[in-house]
Amino acid sequence: DAGVIQSPRHEVTEMGQEVTLRCKPISGHDYLFWYRQTMMRGLELLIYFNNNVPIDDSGMPEDRFSAKMPNASFSTLKIQPSEPRDSAVYFCASSSGVRGNQPQHFGDGTRLSIL
Amino acid sequence: GNSVTQMEGPVTLSEEAFLTINCTYTATGYPSLFWYVQYPGEGLQLLLKATKADDKGSNKGFEATYRKETTSFHLEKGSVQVSDSAVYFCALHSGGGADGLTFGKGTHLIIQP
């Protein structure tokens, strides 16, 4: 079975540019999560969706960040305009529920570098 | 709020050594606890989990026991291999309304032949 698929794997762009990260969750999973990983702060939850509806976006750092889930098989995380401090690895994860026996499955991440 | 504290790394061991990576937590409600592993260039993979007090999660020779009295979930392995070199994350899900995982900062494990 295909796991969580993220694209691109790597993105290098100049500050001020718009960046769009993409995620395809595992088919049948109702929950989708976006995380950011940095050396300083570790793994942070940015936002998550349930049945395509954003439930909690309190982890989104600021208005430059936005996320959408137009359908059950696709989500985007957008940064506009991008800044060097946004450089990080961004992970998408999905799960069939949020109980302990329904763990999250992670994609391989997008390594973002803002110059 | 919820938090997870892991021992700082990197942890460097020789092959066949005994491994312990400490993890303690603070949470509301009755959390489920997880260990995830991240190999270089890859995403996180679930290693093991425990959903209630005194449960022991195990996988690939790794074990961790959910200790409510000490709010701990230490990861152990009796004999490590070079292929175990990775970053290990302790995480919790509180089940108290917040549906995301709370992660520790990760412990980088290096196994030398």
Side-chain angles (χ1 to χ4, degrees):
Chain A
D1 287 342
V4 175
I5 300 172
Q6 291 186 245
S7 64
R9 287 298 310 275
H10 303 275
E11 175 87 13
V12 181
T13 192
E14 293 185 348
M15 66 177 293
Q17 298 298 306
E18 179 180 287
V19 173
T20 300
L21 311 182
R22 298 173 177 79
C23 175
K24 176 178 169 56
I26 293 172
S27 178
H29 281 188
D30 295 331
Y31 285 81
L32 184 139
F33 305 82
W34 282 101
Y35 291 89
R36 178 172 67 176
Q37 184 180 36
T38 61
M39 290 292 291
M40 291 297 295
R41 301 171 69 90
L43 268 162
E44 303 170 279
L45 177 66
L46 300 178
I47 185 172
Y48 76 91
F49 296 81
N50 177 217
N51 291 321
N52 312 338
V53 176
I55 302 301
D56 183 358
D57 65 355
S58 59
M60 296 285 262
E62 47 196 277
D63 292 344
R64 298 184 295 107
F65 285 69
S66 62
K68 294 182 180 179
M69 193 165 185
N71 58 62
S73 59
F74 184 64
S75 176
T76 60
L77 177 67
K78 189 170 291 187
I79 308 172
Q80 167 64 19
S82 57
E83 296 182 3
R85 61 193 169 118
D86 301 331
S87 298
V89 182
Y90 291 81
F91 288 102
C92 176
S94 70
S95 70
S96 58
V98 290
R99 292 194 294 272
N101 60 349
Q102 296 166 310
Q104 295 179 23
H105 297 261
F106 284 73
D108 286 340
T110 295
R111 183 174 295 276
L112 177 64
S113 297
I114 308 298
L115 306 177
Chain B
N2 299 332
S3 68
V4 176
T5 302
Q6 292 181 235
M7 58 193 295
E8 296 282 333
V11 173
T12 303
L13 296 172
S14 297
E15 205 165 21
E16 299 184 3
F18 184 86
L19 168 71
T20 300
I21 300 178
N22 290 338
C23 170
T24 57
Y25 66 89
T26 303
T28 55
Y30 300 94
S32 296
L33 301 174
F34 306 85
W35 277 101
Y36 279 81
V37 59
Q38 184 180 27
Y39 298 102
E42 298 183 11
L44 279 71
Q45 302 173 25
L46 179 66
L47 180 60
L48 54 82
K49 68 181 191 302
T51 58
K52 61 182 188 296
D54 299 326
D55 270 3
K56 177 186 284 188
S58 61
N59 185 26
K60 299 181 181 179
F62 290 90
E63 293 183 339
T65 301
Y66 187 162
R67 301 284 188 201
K68 195 170 188 300
E69 63 276 13
T70 54
T71 62
S72 65
F73 193 54
H74 303 323
L75 183 68
E76 297 181 336
K77 186 173 185 182
S79 176
V80 292
Q81 305 300 313
V82 172
S83 57
D84 294 327
S85 298
V87 181
Y88 291 82
F89 292 89
C90 185
L92 71 82
H93 178 259
S94 68
D99 292 327
L101 288 167
T102 300
F103 284 91
K105 291 205 169 179
T107 301
H108 186 193
L109 175 65
I110 300 170
I111 307 301
Q112 297 177 333

